[in-house]
Each structure stands twice: as C-alpha cells, then as structure tokens.
Amino acid sequence: MEEVDVVIVGAGPAGLATSACLNRLSIPNIVLEREDFYASLWQKRAYDRLKLHLAKEYCELPSMPFPSDAPTFVPRRGFIDYLHSYVSHFRINPRCNTAVESAYHDEESGKWHIKAKKADLNVHEEYVAKFLVVATGENSKGFIPEVSGLDSFGGEFIHSSKYENGQKYKGKAVLVVGCGNSGMEIACDLSNWGVKTSIVARSPVHVLTTNIVYIGMRLLSYGVPCNIVDFIVVLLSKLKHGDISNYGFPRPTRGSFYIKQSVGRTPTIDVGAVEKIRRKEVQVFPSIRGIQGSKIEFANGEVKQFDAIIFATGYKSTVRHWLKGGQDLFDGNGMPKLCFPNIWKGKNGLYCSGFARRGLFGISVDSQNIAKDIDLALRNERILIGIPDARVC
C-alpha cells in the first residue's frame, strides 16, 4: 500500500496537465495509466494524417506554449513531440501498464482507496490518497453501435481508433460510418489511397474549415456574441462549400458554436472530403438499415456491397467500470452531471479533467482549477493542525 496526496487516473493530456500543475506546486502525486505508454490515444490510436483542428494557441497545456516555429495546426507527430517535452520538463513519471480496477472513498479515514493491477508484472497494488483525479476523459473506449446483421458481415470492421492509413484497403470498397472529424478525414485519406470510399451521414452536421473555425474562435475571444459568430461562420461555410445538403449532409438548425457550448458536439472540419464528395469520388449514404453478409442496406433502400467497415462513431467513458460512488459528479454513463465551467469538482476530494467536451483548451482550464483547489485544501488543512507550510510555490 502506497499513500500519496493525489492519485491521477489516466496519463493522456488531461492527466499529464494535472500532474504538471501539481508538480509546480510541489504537491506529491501519482499518475496511473493502463496502457504501456502515456497519451496512448495520440501515440497508438490515431491515424497517420491527423492534425489538431484548432490553432495551436487553443491547444497548449498549462505553462508550456508550442515552439514558435510550430505550424498553426500542429500535426499528430508534432503534438506527440510536444507531449514528450512536456513530460520531461515537468518531471512527470506516469506508472504505465497499471490498470485501475476499483476506487472508493473510505468515510472513516476520509481518503480514497485505489486498487490497480500491474499488467506487465501480474501483481496487484493499492494506493491511498486524499484526492482522486479522474483523467480518463470522454474518449476512453471506442464505441461501435449495434447494427442489425453486423455479426454476419464477412469483411473486416474496426473502430476508427484502429485505423492508420488506407494502404491496406487499396482496390477495396470501404464504408466509413460517421461524418464527424474522424469519419470525414478517414474517408478523404482512403480516397487518396485509391480506395472505393463511401460514408454514412447519420445526423445533421456543420462542415467548416480550419480557417473558418479560427475566425469564429477569435471573434468569440473578442467578446462577439455567439449568435452573431454562428451567423458569420455559417455564411462563410456556405460561401466555401455551397449547400452541403445537396451532398447528403443536412445542416443543423442551430449554429456550430452554440451546439458546441450547449452539448459539446464539435463541428466537422473539412480537410478535402467535401471536394471529393462533390466530384463523386466519395459516395454519401444515409443510416444503415441492416447488414447481410457483405451487403449493406441503407435507410433509403439502396443496397451496396463492401469489403470493410470503419466505425468513426465516437467513444464512451469507462469511469463507471471502476469508480465506486461519486454519483454527485458522474452520471450512469460516466460523464459529469455538472455544466461547464464548474464541471471539474465533486465531493470528498474527487475531481475530473478532460470531460468538458472542450478539447485541449478545456483540459488546460480543468487541470489548473484542480491544482489550485487541492493546493488551497492542503494549505487549510495545515493551518487547522498548526503545521507551517514549507512547500515552495
């Protein structure tokens, strides 16, 4: 059993940022990570051509800007290098291959008890902490929806987190399910590799460009009201892409930034897929009605044959698999009950980071708030028991 002030579960950007903020305040903390290295979503479960869809100024973690020569929209490899520098600079030491199996708050001691399994050594460990930070985030486990007949599909079907590039699919017919950022970018990449590509548009979506989003973000930062920003953004999108409903993408009735702020759904950033759809290099279908063998029937009655399906259908939280209690902060799906910006703090020293649905910017805000709150709690505790605070901040 090991006792420490703070245990952080998850060594993605949220966990790393929280640990860095605590380290800057000289607050002892341990980061537990189930994978064999930190930031596994970026290092192992992201496709090759991925770039940050927001400008670098909105994607910085606390206390470390990107290098001045970094491109405005940082590629995956560049962001991984940035994380390596971040871990080194703030002396973060994640304990990898350590999967948390349970965590509960002991009322008698007033502390959190965390049980974990060290996979590489096949041993169990236990930690006791005054504070528990859940940093596994909203993108913990790839989600594939239930589709009638999917078990009969004769080809390959994978979640987008396992997609690397389109080389292995050359000459095949591939269906991408989902027209969010991952789905549209994977569809574009497949087409670039000469794959016969189709995509399923299951719901209305705003399709913007990186520059349009950047303009919107800047206007919001200058205090322009969200409804005016949304009007400008939609107008620019129409000028750029025309009426995307003609291509099978109905546009939502509410603006993109309103939707982002209210429900956390991000607009789709086009990286070339719209032009391929316009040239009929990528075909758009409505929702899947059912699958029989290699044949897929769509909601409009069309039936097509495919060799592979890639589900770009998002992720699910896994918090409820291991966290006992915490109902004041998390709902039954493992997502916070509270609304931004007060989403990060529960009761009994329970916190969460990376659940605000506001990307890396939200992670930066959460991690700083958590570290400041823990620092204040520890200071008050020392005052109550008459111990001088010798920590250097």
Side-chain angles (χ1 to χ4, degrees), residues 90-211:
F90 291 108
R91 298 180 181 179
I92 306 167
N93 186 27
R95 300 188 182 186
C96 297
N97 286 307
T98 306
V100 173
E101 296 182 330
S102 69
Y104 69 93
H105 186 261
D106 180 63
E107 297 297 333
E108 185 175 344
S109 66
K111 296 181 179 180
W112 288 91
H113 290 248
I114 302 99
K115 295 182 179 180
K117 183 178 180 180
K118 192 78 173 172
D120 52 345
L121 300 177
N122 196 30
V123 297
H124 287 82
E125 301 174 336
E126 185 170 354
Y127 302 87
V128 176
K130 297 176 182 176
F131 307 96
L132 175 66
V133 181
V134 180
T136 50
E138 56 194 304
N139 297 331
S140 186
K141 184 178 181 181
F143 170 70
I144 295 180
E146 292 185 10
V147 180
S148 176
L150 181 59
D151 56 349
S152 73
F153 185 67
E156 176 189 62
F157 67 90
I158 62 170
H159 187 264
S160 58
S161 59
K162 298 185 181 300
Y163 179 83
E164 296 178 355
N165 58 60
Q167 184 174 14
K168 65 181 286 188
Y169 300 106
K170 278 185 177 181
K172 296 182 178 180
V174 178
L175 178 67
V176 180
V177 181
C179 58
N181 284 307
S182 295
M184 290 284 271
E185 189 153 0
I186 288 172
C188 184
D189 188 57
L190 286 167
S191 181
N192 287 340
W193 283 95
V195 178
K196 186 178 179 181
T197 308
S198 300
I199 189 169
V200 169
R202 301 186 300 163
S203 57
V205 61
H206 283 289
V207 180
L208 310 178
T209 66
T210 53
N211 288 330

Side-chain angles (χ1 to χ4, degrees), residues 26-27 35 67 77 84 108 112 136 143 146 159 178 212 253 259 272 318 331 334-335 341 367 391:
S26 301
I27 298 174
E35 302 289 346
R77 186 67 256 173
H84 289 328
E108 185 175 344
W112 288 91
T136 50
F143 170 70
E146 292 185 10
H159 187 264
I212 292 175
T253 56
I259 293 173
T318 59
D331 62 20
M335 293 298 292
S367 58
R391 290 178 294 121

